Amino acid sequence: IDPRHFTPSVTPAEALKRLMATPDLCSKRWVWEQYDHMVMADTVARPGGDAAVVRIHGSNRGLAMSSDCTPRYCKADPERGGAQAVAESWRYLTAVGARPLAVTDNMNFGNPERPEIMGQFVGCIAGMKAACEALAYPVVSGNVSLYNETNGQAILPTPVIGGVGLIDDLDRIVGAALPGSDETLILIGETKGHLGASIYLRDIEGVAKGPPPPVDLAAERRNGDFVRAQIQSGAVSACHDLSDGGLAVALAEMALAGACGADISEGAPSSKGSPDNPPLAAWLFGEDQARYLVTTGAAPALLAAAEQAGVPARAIGRTGGNSLILAGGEAISLAELRAGHEGWLPNYMAR
């Protein structure tokens, strides 16, 4: 999907409002509030962020944990999708300041006696292996669930990755919530505006095609190690991995979590893009990998450190207010975003 030859059907604000109220991206609070997530009072970071954080009892150290997969990537390109699942898990742990240690996997597929299903299985394993080796992130356990089909229709290939990481000092972790006004938003990682197999393309434009985004494992390692070091140094006040929905969705999730708005209109490209930027829709909703959105009160120092480390980084806006301004002065109130984001699942379950 060439972003420069793509014409959006709706404005960025309308697209974001719709995406935040979809099954994939809506709040899962209705689910996690129904079980005890505060056992022994050692939960430090509750569900809803990139990774949960639990104190190692009686100490100031902690474990970060996450679990996720992007089945549509694995369907479009099993090997790339398998690598992406591992890399995203690694980013989730990194985004809270943890050092990723190991993964467990849950391999969910259809009937392996069908060649296309076995091909998915083999491809996902190959991608997972490459990512685990590149990120020094070994598989230590796992299970397999096969023959997941109904009337001959298989589930999407779903190699769920559960990750665990170590935090040496719980006073040095960060969350995804915007911490308040007058912080600089910095986008870490290269943005090319990859729209293939994206949730934006599927749910807004009604097109499910194209390859998933490339996974540059060297960039994942380099960018993640940089972000983790900045968190541990105290330079970063909030951090969020960029995945489903790209930059716009990540920003909306951070804004809702912190009840704080943001303005990225000055950092946004034009609708047609430029030599250095993809067009606006692709910049906002493309799902390029190896990226983080961070906030800081020391932007010049952080940007200088990124340049020295060879990590792409750019300031894209400021925090503050009670709305999101994506481009051209078009504002979306946090109240409107929250109503759709928090309301979809309870409304669905009440039917």
Side-chain angles (χ1 to χ4, degrees):
I1 308 298
D2 187 341
R4 299 190 184 279
H5 297 158
F6 174 76
T7 303
S9 63
V10 298
T11 66
E14 180 62 26
L16 181 58
K17 286 188 287 187
R18 291 188 196 177
L19 285 174
M20 294 299 287
T22 58
D24 286 67
L25 297 176
C26 72
S27 170
K28 306 307 187 293
R29 183 187 303 275
W30 185 91
V31 176
W32 60 258
E33 282 189 338
Q34 298 190 46
Y35 66 88
D36 185 359
H37 50 274
M38 297 295 291
V39 176
M40 297 181 68
D42 275 328
T43 300
V44 178
R46 302 183 186 187
D50 284 301
V53 177
V54 176
R55 182 185 306 276
I56 298 174
H57 196 63
S59 76
N60 199 42
R61 306 176 81 202
L63 294 175
M65 293 162 282
S66 68
S67 178
D68 202 5
C69 180
T70 309
R72 67 181 184 279
Y73 288 175
C74 297
K75 173 70 171 177
D77 185 325
E79 186 166 350
R80 189 179 290 184
Q84 188 275 341
V86 172
E88 185 172 25
S89 167
W90 198 82
R91 290 199 304 271
Y92 283 156
L93 301 176
T94 293
V96 299
R99 174 167 52 88
L101 295 180
V103 307
T104 183
D105 59 52
N106 182 11
M107 309 294 287
N108 305 280
F109 292 81
N111 181 355
E113 298 173 46
R114 295 166 54 192
E116 65 272 23
I117 302 299
M118 180 55 78
Q120 294 171 355
F121 187 70
V122 171
C124 285
I125 290 174
M128 291 163 57
K129 176 179 183 292
C132 286
E133 290 179 340
L135 299 174
Y137 194 34
V139 178
V140 296
S141 67
N143 61 25
V144 178
S145 178
L146 302 175
Y147 298 94
N148 294 290
E149 299 191 353
T150 300
N151 297 325
Q153 182 67 40
I155 65 167
L156 293 177
T158 309
V160 177
I161 300 297
V164 64
L166 181 64
I167 298 167
D168 291 316
D169 182 357
L170 287 171
D171 294 329
R172 289 294 185 177
I173 66 171
V174 298
L178 294 183
S181 299
D182 298 322
E183 293 272 309
T184 301
L185 286 156
I186 294 182
L187 178 60
I188 304 291
E190 189 174 14
T191 298
K192 295 183 177 180
H194 186 96
L195 291 174
S198 67
I199 202 166
Y200 169 85
L201 200 66
R202 186 194 70 186
D203 288 3
I204 301 301
E205 304 298 341
V207 179
K209 66 178 182 179
V215 180
D216 184 334
L217 295 170
E220 291 281 4
R221 185 83 183 257
R222 180 178 61 250
N223 296 359
D225 287 348
F226 172 77
V227 167
R228 192 181 312 107
Q230 294 301 309
I231 292 172
Q232 292 169 354
S233 75
V236 168
S237 52
C239 179
H240 195 12
D241 148 81
L242 269 65
S243 50
D244 283 351
L247 169 61
V249 167
L251 177 62
E253 291 171 342
M254 296 176 79
L256 292 177
C260 177
D263 184 346
I264 60 170
S265 58
E266 291 188 9
S270 68
S271 60
K272 295 184 179 180
S274 68
D276 298 323
N277 286 304
L280 178 61
W283 187 75
L284 288 171
F285 300 106
E287 296 181 1
D288 304 285
Q289 301 293 293
R291 296 190 300 161
Y292 303 80
L293 185 59
V294 306
T295 60
T296 181
L302 194 151
L303 291 170
E307 183 177 10
Q308 185 175 8
V311 170
R314 59 179 287 190
I316 61 168
R318 301 282 292 179
T319 63
N322 56 11
S323 62
L324 293 184
I325 304 175
L326 301 180
E330 187 180 19
I332 319 165
S333 74
L334 295 188
E336 186 176 8
L337 274 179
R338 191 180 303 280
H341 184 61
E342 295 281 354
W344 187 91
L345 187 55
N347 292 338
Y348 180 81
M349 299 304 295
R351 292 179 182 178

